[in-house]
Amino acid sequence: MSPSKILRKYGVPEDAVGTCGIQSLRAKYVSYLDNPHYISQVPSNADGYVLVSPKLIERVREIPGNLYVETASPTQAFLEIHNDFHRDVRSFTTGSNTPTHGSNCEIDASAKFGVRVTLGSGVRIHPHVVVGSDVEIGDDTEVFAGTAIYNRVRLGRRCIIDANASIGGDGYRIMMDAEGNIHRLIHIGGVRFGNDVEFGNSSCVDRGTFEDTILEDRVKIDNMVHIGHNVHIKENTQLAASSCIGGSTVIGRNCWVGIGATISNGLVIGDKASVLINAIVVRDVPEGARVAGFYAMPNDAWRLVVMDDTKRFGTQVREMERKRSDSEDRQE
Amino acid sequence: MSPSKILRKYGVPEDAVGTCGIQSLRAKYVSYLDNPHYISQVPSNADGYVLVSPKLIERVREIPGNLYVETASPTQAFLEIHNDFHRDVRSFTTGSNTPTHGSNCEIDASAKFGVRVTLGSGVRIHPHVVVGSDVEIGDDTEVFAGTAIYNRVRLGRRCIIDANASIGGDGYRIMMDAEGNIHRLIHIGGVRFGNDVEFGNSSCVDRGTFEDTILEDRVKIDNMVHIGHNVHIKENTQLAASSCIGGSTVIGRNCWVGIGATISNGLVIGDKASVLINAIVVRDVPEGARVAGFYAMPNDAWRLVVMDDTKRFGTQVREMERKRSDSEDRQE
Amino acid sequence: MSPSKILRKYGVPEDAVGTCGIQSLRAKYVSYLDNPHYISQVPSNADGYVLVSPKLIERVREIPGNLYVETASPTQAFLEIHNDFHRDVRSFTTGSNTPTHGSNCEIDASAKFGVRVTLGSGVRIHPHVVVGSDVEIGDDTEVFAGTAIYNRVRLGRRCIIDANASIGGDGYRIMMDAEGNIHRLIHIGGVRFGNDVEFGNSSCVDRGTFEDTILEDRVKIDNMVHIGHNVHIKENTQLAASSCIGGSTVIGRNCWVGIGATISNGLVIGDKASVLINAIVVRDVPEGARVAGFYAMPNDAWRLVVMDDTKRFGTQVREMERKRSDSEDRQE
């Protein structure tokens, strides 16, 4: 089906030129509204096209200057229109292009580049790296072997990207179609790293849905860390190995995230907060807080929980051990 | 040692042609039995050769039509015979072969293929992908940069395999030899994906021991997910980032597995079940259940556990904070 | 800034030839002391140069035969001197070198090697593998596609390294400079594997700070495991998928680490210990112990905690379910 056929199927004007999030609605872009929570974010007089569910159509019509298209399942309609508009977005450009670059670069001959790639001076690209299209890499940044950089990625100066990392993969946003089958929404945002960012072996950061996923200056990421789409990590923050950050979460400056920690999506972690080893964070964390446990609470509280667990059952466990040892004695 | 020497060492007929699991015993194949639990699964009149421990030899002889070979440690003997039979199974075929393929494929020149590889139409293979032997890839499937596809893998149509993934690696089944040293059992099964499967960056799925590991249509796997050998994931199920599925577990249709969740081996997760963020699942999960926590229990119960933990120690924590703040005041 | 300028900035003699840990202090090497805990480890008469904080300078001067350089922030000064000395240490040698090798090797033409690489006989190197400099690989070892082996790595005989693994990446040791900005300390140690080690797909092991990270004979590592710098894992120990081991931890012989388990840094795990599924270990584990839970305790105790949680809230949960079901009945 061509884009115009799909637009016609849903009654959207065929002069539509793209898709966007509802907050960024603009002329001839298609967006959608299925949740009353977001009505207040619809801009007036944007000349956009908005797919709207029957239950919200009356309320949203009070916001002037857009075309509202009533449809039973706006999310499903949007998925279909959006993924069709952007069906070519996922790809690297395969084929062999030569990037623009500054002086003193070392670029291994086996590395592959898409189109519109710009490297600064002193950039080092190791063997078997693949770089997509519309990528900028700043001065003195080094990319180790086997790393994949997808399209629309900008890395600052003096970054170090370790081996086998994946930067800019498709964000994990799932939508259901009319038949109840699941699809991934194609992501059209990118990824942006500041200066002096380090990114560990086998770590992954997904590109944003419509805007960029961002790691600011001097963010340090250990091995095997996952960073979801639309995440924003501020200056000087560290993520230790095997931690996992859900989509759209914001982590402040000078934070510490311990090994194995998991932070759910859509949260805000304040500046200077510490998320301790393997903590499972499902609520916002205030500035400077130290949280631990499952689910994460102030570390002082979690330590009391653990001490209490140990204390309550210590006697029973010692008794079990005594009996087992007696029984083993009898068997010998 | 040649295969025939190892067979002779254990008294197995030298005309043996292969190894198999006990349920699939067939003519001239070697299997083993060390656990009374599996006696009922031994097929009669299969003309197979079965290594059996002394404690089970009398009982298993009641099943006619196979040759039973008594040996002190059937598991160890089987390991040695099996790994020797299949010593060449692990390898990709290195060297440069050209796959059979349909129309409109884009195959980067740096990609490598083993023998007997068949690609459908519209397949896209990005740079530095390595594909083993005996592989089929369906129409319009795309494999991103740096991914390794081992031998005996079949991918359906319109699948998307992200960068640096590993599909079909050796399953992690450990056996001990007579000296107490550990070895991995070589896996001779494969991996099979249905249509519209997506598989995230750096994610891994191991091949089956004797049969295939299976991901059905529209299964969506996020980044950095591990899927063990012999796992079977049914239609429309989603696994979020950094989740980990132990070997031989079956996950039903339309399930959700949250970020960081761990599911132990050998379990059955019912259709439409939800395993919430970082839940550690060590028991079967019924159809439609929502489980959470460590170890996973119904989400309602886990929420009460967490609320109770927070409530019980809230007063003590506030008291600790008050004292600390007093003490800091005195120091200033 | 050249090394001599940085040395001059801190008042360290310009004939300094390298940096080292305080226990290994030797002639003309620079080390640092900022923690009274380590004073007893300073060797006398080593002719080394030690950066010392004002609060420790008097005490350390009692140890003769070294030059002590007082400085406000020894850690920061050391970071700057050390990273400058070793600024070229991180890199693979890109470019195409031919390794020395024994008979019967299969080396894919796309594999890349640094300088001073020695392969034994029967070594198999799959496509797109990258090997750094000063690397030794023992007889019959096989390295699968896309794996990155950094500099100063030694692998024993009959090892199997699966696809997309990263061996010898920079250890994650963070230090703060005078402006409060964070930097990674460049690691100058290596990685050493014994014989018959297996290392899973996408797994990572970092090189040591000054010495080697070590995996002894027959250690088996599953997929997506992270092993931090300076870790030492003894013979016959197994680490299951998605486990994570913090820096400098020692794991004994014949141990089992379950899927998803996390072991904090600097711990000692005794021989034959079992760390069960997803246990979070923050204390040493005695020989032969079986630990589980968050934080890890004896498995018997953790089972009582989980049973108690389930029991305490079972009644309330059943009541909640009853009410919900009533309410749904009324809605129908």
Side-chain angles (χ1 to χ4, degrees):
Chain A
M1 217 185 270
S2 74
S4 62
K5 274 192 197 157
I6 290 175
L7 291 168
R8 226 176 300 143
K9 170 178 166 187
Y10 288 106
V12 174
E14 288 175 46
D15 65 349
V17 295
T19 58
C20 61
I22 193 70
Q23 307 95 325
S24 314
L25 190 65
R26 48 201 191 273
K28 300 191 179 173
Y29 275 72
V30 181
S31 192
Y32 73 107
L33 187 71
D34 204 6
N35 181 337
H37 186 67
Y38 295 108
I39 290 183
S40 63
Q41 298 185 23
V42 182
S44 57
N45 300 311
D47 289 324
Y49 306 149
V50 187
L51 299 151
V52 186
S53 55
K55 66 177 195 282
L56 300 179
I57 192 80
E58 290 309 317
R59 288 174 60 193
V60 77
R61 280 203 178 120
E62 294 171 11
I63 302 167
N66 299 306
L67 178 72
Y68 300 105
V69 180
E70 188 174 334
T71 188
S73 299
T75 307
Q76 292 161 16
F78 182 76
L79 170 73
E80 203 174 335
I81 292 169
H82 173 89
N83 276 8
D84 194 75
F85 254 112
H86 304 293
R87 58 168 63 201
D88 295 326
V89 150
R90 306 184 60 101
S91 299
F92 297 112
T93 302
T94 58
S96 292
N97 305 285
T98 304
T100 305
H101 63 85
S103 56
N104 295 314
C105 292
E106 291 177 54
I107 302 172
D108 190 86
S110 64
K112 299 271 181 173
F113 298 89
V115 295
R116 294 178 303 278
V117 174
T118 307
L119 313 180
S121 301
V123 169
R124 287 191 278 184
I125 306 288
H126 287 256
H128 308 316
V129 166
V130 180
V131 176
S133 294
D134 299 301
V135 172
E136 288 175 39
I137 299 182
D139 297 346
D140 300 311
T141 283
E142 183 163 15
V143 182
F144 280 85
T147 281
I149 297 177
Y150 288 73
N151 298 341
R152 293 184 310 287
V153 171
R154 282 176 289 164
L155 307 180
R157 299 175 174 196
R158 296 175 305 278
C159 293
I160 298 171
I161 312 299
D162 288 336
N164 295 319
S166 301
I167 298 179
D170 203 14
Y172 194 78
R173 170 99 190 267
I174 299 296
M175 288 176 157
M176 213 165 272
D177 67 18
E179 285 75 40
N181 293 323
I182 58 180
H183 300 269
R184 252 163 109 154
L185 188 77
I186 290 174
H187 279 56
I188 61 173
V191 171
R192 196 168 80 233
F193 283 12
N195 298 324
D196 301 295
V197 170
E198 296 185 29
F199 198 78
N201 298 281
S202 283
S203 286
C204 303
V205 53
D206 286 342
R207 62 180 183 265
T209 314
F210 295 108
E211 310 296 333
D212 287 346
T213 302
I214 298 170
L215 276 66
E216 293 188 358
D217 294 349
R218 290 177 305 282
V219 164
K220 306 291 177 189
I221 306 293
D222 200 351
N223 296 336
M224 241 170 307
V225 172
H226 165 79
I227 300 172
H229 57 175
N230 307 319
V231 164
H232 181 173
I233 303 180
K234 297 186 181 170
E235 291 183 350
N236 272 331
T237 279
Q238 305 173 48
L239 274 63
S242 301
S243 54
C244 175
I245 313 300
S248 303
T249 281
V250 177
I251 305 184
R253 288 178 184 75
N254 295 96
C255 291
W256 165 256
V257 176
I259 56 174
T262 303
I263 303 182
S264 192
N265 55 305
L267 299 181
V268 177
I269 311 299
D271 294 347
K272 298 184 189 170
S274 296
V275 173
L276 301 185
I277 181 172
N278 222 79
I280 318 301
V281 181
V282 294
R283 296 190 178 197
D284 291 350
V285 173
E287 190 178 329
R290 285 167 63 82
V291 301
F294 191 169
Y295 299 118
M297 55 184 78
N299 186 40
D300 288 336
W302 180 249
R303 287 174 61 190
L304 291 172
V305 169
V306 173
M307 277 170 52
D308 182 65
D309 282 345
T310 314
K311 212 165 53 189
R312 279 192 295 157
F313 300 107
T315 317
Q316 281 168 264
V317 169
R318 277 188 298 273
E319 179 69 11
M320 285 162 70
E321 279 165 0
R322 198 186 54 73
K323 281 186 189 155
R324 190 152 46 202
S325 145
D326 288 357
S327 136
E328 283 165 11
D329 286 352
R330 280 195 299 277
Q331 282 168 18
E332 279 164 13
Chain B
M1 216 186 268
S2 74
S4 61
K5 274 192 197 156
I6 290 174
L7 292 168
R8 224 177 300 143
K9 170 178 165 188
Y10 288 105
V12 174
E14 290 176 44
D15 64 350
V17 296
T19 58
C20 61
I22 193 71
Q23 307 94 325
S24 315
L25 190 64
R26 50 200 189 275
K28 299 190 182 175
Y29 274 71
V30 182
S31 192
Y32 73 106
L33 187 71
D34 205 5
N35 182 336
H37 186 67
Y38 294 109
I39 290 183
S40 63
Q41 299 186 19
V42 182
S44 57
N45 300 310
D47 289 324
Y49 305 149
V50 186
L51 298 152
V52 186
S53 56
K55 65 177 194 280
L56 301 179
I57 192 79
E58 290 310 315
R59 289 174 59 192
V60 76
R61 280 202 178 120
E62 295 170 10
I63 302 166
N66 299 305
L67 178 72
Y68 300 106
V69 181
E70 186 175 335
T71 188
S73 300
T75 308
Q76 292 161 16
F78 182 77
L79 169 73
E80 204 174 332
I81 292 169
H82 173 90
N83 276 8
D84 195 73
F85 255 112
H86 303 293
R87 59 168 62 202
D88 296 325
V89 150
R90 306 183 62 101
S91 299
F92 295 111
T93 303
T94 58
S96 292
N97 305 285
T98 305
T100 305
H101 63 85
S103 56
N104 295 317
C105 291
E106 292 178 53
I107 302 173
D108 190 86
S110 64
K112 299 272 181 172
F113 298 89
V115 293
R116 295 178 302 278
V117 174
T118 307
L119 313 179
S121 300
V123 170
R124 288 191 277 184
I125 306 287
H126 286 257
H128 309 315
V129 166
V130 180
V131 176
S133 294
D134 300 300
V135 171
E136 288 175 40
I137 300 182
D139 296 347
D140 299 312
T141 282
E142 183 163 15
V143 182
F144 280 85
T147 281
I149 297 177
Y150 288 73
N151 297 342
R152 295 184 307 290
V153 171
R154 281 177 288 164
L155 308 180
R157 299 175 175 198
R158 296 175 305 277
C159 293
I160 297 172
I161 313 299
D162 287 336
N164 295 319
S166 302
I167 298 179
D170 203 14
Y172 193 79
R173 169 99 189 267
I174 298 295
M175 290 177 157
M176 212 164 274
D177 69 18
E179 285 74 40
N181 293 323
I182 59 179
H183 300 269
R184 252 161 109 153
L185 187 78
I186 291 173
H187 279 56
I188 59 172
V191 171
R192 197 168 78 234
F193 284 12
N195 298 324
D196 301 296
V197 170
E198 296 187 28
F199 197 78
N201 298 281
S202 283
S203 286
C204 303
V205 54
D206 286 341
R207 64 180 181 265
T209 313
F210 296 108
E211 311 295 334
D212 288 346
T213 302
I214 299 170
L215 277 66
E216 293 188 359
D217 294 350
R218 290 176 305 283
V219 164
K220 306 290 177 189
I221 306 292
D222 199 352
N223 295 336
M224 241 171 305
V225 171
H226 165 79
I227 299 172
H229 57 175
N230 308 318
V231 163
H232 181 173
I233 304 180
K234 297 185 181 169
E235 291 183 352
N236 271 332
T237 279
Q238 305 174 47
L239 273 62
S242 301
S243 54
C244 175
I245 313 300
S248 303
T249 281
V250 178
I251 305 184
R253 288 178 185 74
N254 295 96
C255 291
W256 165 255
V257 176
I259 56 174
T262 303
I263 303 182
S264 193
N265 55 305
L267 299 181
V268 177
I269 311 299
D271 293 348
K272 298 184 190 169
S274 295
V275 174
L276 300 185
I277 181 172
N278 222 80
I280 319 300
V281 181
V282 295
R283 296 189 179 199
D284 291 350
V285 173
E287 190 179 329
R290 286 167 61 84
V291 300
F294 191 170
Y295 299 116
M297 55 185 78
N299 185 40
D300 288 334
W302 181 248
R303 288 174 62 190
L304 291 172
V305 169
V306 173
M307 276 169 53
D308 182 66
D309 282 345
T310 314
K311 210 166 54 187
R312 278 192 295 155
F313 300 107
T315 318
Q316 282 168 262
V317 169
R318 278 188 296 274
E319 180 68 9
M320 286 162 68
E321 279 165 358
R322 199 185 54 72
K323 281 188 188 154
R324 191 151 48 202
S325 144
D326 288 357
S327 136
E328 282 165 11
D329 287 352
R330 278 195 299 277
Q331 283 169 15
E332 279 164 12
Chain C
M1 217 186 266
S2 75
S4 62
K5 272 192 197 158
I6 290 173
L7 292 167
R8 224 176 301 143
K9 170 178 165 187
Y10 288 105
V12 174
E14 288 175 45
D15 65 349
V17 295
T19 58
C20 62
I22 193 72
Q23 306 94 325
S24 314
L25 190 65
R26 49 202 190 274
K28 299 191 180 174
Y29 274 72
V30 182
S31 192
Y32 72 106
L33 188 71
D34 205 7
N35 182 335
H37 186 68
Y38 294 108
I39 290 183
S40 63
Q41 297 186 22
V42 181
S44 57
N45 300 311
D47 290 325
Y49 305 149
V50 186
L51 298 151
V52 186
S53 56
K55 65 178 194 279
L56 300 178
I57 192 80
E58 289 311 315
R59 288 172 61 191
V60 76
R61 279 201 177 123
E62 293 170 13
I63 301 165
N66 299 306
L67 178 71
Y68 300 106
V69 181
E70 187 174 336
T71 189
S73 299
T75 307
Q76 292 161 15
F78 182 78
L79 170 73
E80 202 174 334
I81 292 168
H82 172 89
N83 275 8
D84 195 74
F85 254 111
H86 303 294
R87 58 166 65 202
D88 296 326
V89 151
R90 306 183 61 102
S91 298
F92 297 110
T93 303
T94 59
S96 292
N97 304 285
T98 305
T100 306
H101 63 85
S103 55
N104 296 315
C105 292
E106 292 178 52
I107 302 172
D108 190 87
S110 64
K112 299 272 182 172
F113 298 89
V115 293
R116 294 178 303 278
V117 174
T118 307
L119 313 180
S121 301
V123 169
R124 288 193 276 183
I125 306 287
H126 287 257
H128 308 316
V129 165
V130 180
V131 176
S133 294
D134 299 301
V135 171
E136 287 175 40
I137 299 182
D139 296 346
D140 300 311
T141 282
E142 184 163 16
V143 182
F144 281 85
T147 280
I149 297 178
Y150 287 73
N151 297 341
R152 294 184 308 288
V153 171
R154 282 176 290 164
L155 308 180
R157 298 175 176 198
R158 298 175 304 278
C159 293
I160 298 172
I161 314 299
D162 288 336
N164 295 319
S166 301
I167 297 178
D170 203 14
Y172 194 78
R173 169 97 190 267
I174 298 296
M175 289 177 156
M176 211 164 272
D177 68 17
E179 285 75 40
N181 293 324
I182 58 179
H183 301 268
R184 250 161 111 155
L185 187 78
I186 291 172
H187 278 55
I188 59 172
V191 171
R192 197 168 79 233
F193 283 12
N195 299 323
D196 301 295
V197 171
E198 297 186 28
F199 197 78
N201 297 282
S202 283
S203 286
C204 303
V205 53
D206 286 342
R207 63 180 183 266
T209 315
F210 297 108
E211 311 295 335
D212 287 346
T213 302
I214 298 170
L215 276 66
E216 292 188 0
D217 295 350
R218 291 176 304 283
V219 164
K220 305 290 176 188
I221 306 292
D222 200 350
N223 295 336
M224 240 171 305
V225 172
H226 164 79
I227 299 173
H229 57 174
N230 307 318
V231 163
H232 181 173
I233 303 180
K234 297 185 182 170
E235 291 183 352
N236 273 331
T237 279
Q238 305 174 47
L239 274 62
S242 302
S243 55
C244 174
I245 312 300
S248 302
T249 281
V250 177
I251 305 184
R253 289 178 185 73
N254 296 95
C255 291
W256 165 256
V257 177
I259 56 173
T262 303
I263 303 182
S264 191
N265 56 305
L267 299 181
V268 176
I269 310 300
D271 293 347
K272 299 182 188 170
S274 296
V275 173
L276 301 184
I277 182 172
N278 222 80
I280 318 301
V281 181
V282 295
R283 296 192 179 196
D284 291 350
V285 173
E287 190 178 330
R290 286 168 61 84
V291 301
F294 192 169
Y295 298 117
M297 56 184 78
N299 185 40
D300 288 336
W302 181 248
R303 288 174 60 190
L304 291 171
V305 169
V306 173
M307 278 168 54
D308 183 66
D309 283 345
T310 314
K311 211 167 54 188
R312 279 194 295 156
F313 300 106
T315 318
Q316 282 168 263
V317 169
R318 278 187 298 274
E319 180 68 10
M320 285 162 70
E321 279 164 0
R322 199 186 54 72
K323 282 186 188 155
R324 191 151 47 200
S325 144
D326 287 357
S327 136
E328 282 164 11
D329 287 351
R330 280 194 298 277
Q331 284 170 15
E332 278 164 13

